Amino acid sequence: MTDCTIDTTIVGKSAQGNFDCLEILNRITRTRKIVFDNENIILDEYTDCIERAKRSKKPGWEMMQGWITTLRNSNKMRTVYPNFSQNEEVELEKLRFDRTDWIFVKSCKASLNKELIAIESDYTPEIKDFLLKKHSIKVIHIDECIQNNLYQ
């Protein structure tokens, strides 16, 4: 089964009630495993987003909590052992790429499909081009998933 890496912003927006994001997550989960790092940094970020939404009484938090449970119970989590070389870190720093997003890029680099679904403006055209050329990572904006009916 193929896999996909999901930036925390997608999970956070889903937990806040963005049903387009939730629909994309459900579509992806039907056909792919979701990539997680071996140190649970991604899972912890997802859980924090869901907990914040719960405390704020946002409409999507229960669905996202159920989504995480479904991933666990249906063997839809792929654990990878992400890493960057020192040179790769220097290159990302030169691009001023947000360090909080490094775990997703590192995990995606270690994944099978090398697809990263994101919303954030941190993935500038320059960074997206670098990731594609240097690591074969394709960053796909959530709007592209929606507009092009990806992951059907």
Side-chain angles (χ1 to χ4, degrees), residues 1-12 25 28-29 32-50 64-83 101-117:
M1 179 175 276
T2 60
D3 59 16
C4 191
T5 308
I6 310 288
D7 191 278
T8 303
T9 309
I10 306 290
V11 173
L25 288 178
I28 291 169
T29 307
R32 298 170 190 267
K33 290 188 177 193
I34 306 301
V35 174
F36 290 87
D37 62 285
N38 64 309
E39 295 179 5
N40 289 322
I41 296 168
I42 293 174
L43 183 59
D44 290 345
E45 284 196 28
Y46 287 4
T47 302
D48 288 346
C49 284
I50 294 166
M64 289 310 302
Q65 201 166 45
W67 181 73
I68 295 289
T69 301
T70 299
L71 291 178
R72 284 185 172 132
N73 293 340
S74 61
N75 193 29
K76 290 285 192 161
M77 299 172 88
R78 172 163 286 132
T79 302
V80 297
Y81 296 83
N83 66 2
D101 290 319
W102 285 22
I103 189 62
F104 299 98
V105 171
K106 288 193 295 187
S107 297
C108 190
K109 178 184 165 209
S111 72
L112 297 175
N113 271 35
K114 298 188 181 350
E115 290 180 353
L116 173 59
I117 310 300

